[in-house]
Amino acid sequence: MNTIELNAAAEKIIQGSVDPKKVREILEYTLSQMQTINSFPDETQAEVLTNHIAEMVERSEDNKQLDDVDVSVFDGLPEDSVKLAGKVIDKIGNLKDQEKYILAVHFEVARK
């Protein structure tokens, strides 16, 4: 498996998160699963993804939810990205289903 080396900023995000162990676990799962759809983030994309995952874990644990999002804006996203993002959302737990659309954008930006 091709692993991503996280930069110092991403490591700092993980360490400063509400649950560093869970954030790292979800991030590693997400990065490995992204490879199945030919999505390979560069260092900056991995850092942004790390921040997003840390925020999702915090929302999940604090029982906070994003404001409603018009999911029709994301109609052009490929189904494999949305499906994978749904698996990540489920793995985190206690998040609105619509969060998968926002997460799927990260996968598409890094797709090769």
Side-chain angles (χ1 to χ4, degrees), residues 49-62:
L49 177 64
T50 301
N51 188 62
H52 191 173
I53 288 174
E55 289 173 350
M56 288 189 299
V57 168
E58 183 172 348
R59 279 194 296 280
S60 171
E61 295 194 5
D62 289 350

Side-chain angles (χ1 to χ4, degrees), residues 53-87:
I53 288 174
E55 289 173 350
M56 288 189 299
V57 168
E58 183 172 348
R59 279 194 296 280
S60 171
E61 295 194 5
D62 289 350
N63 208 20
K64 294 182 179 173
Q65 299 293 323
L66 279 181
D67 292 336
D68 284 337
V69 174
D70 178 4
V71 297
S72 69
V73 172
F74 302 99
D75 281 348
L77 287 173
E79 187 175 330
D80 59 351
S81 286
V82 175
K83 190 173 183 179
L84 174 56
K87 287 181 182 180

Side-chain angles (χ1 to χ4, degrees), residues 13-35:
I13 291 166
I14 293 169
Q15 293 309 312
S17 70
V18 66
D19 187 341
K21 183 179 177 189
K22 184 171 184 179
V23 170
R24 187 175 301 280
E25 174 190 316
I26 298 294
L27 179 62
E28 288 175 359
Y29 170 80
T30 303
L31 290 169
S32 70
Q33 292 299 301
M34 286 173 70
Q35 294 178 35

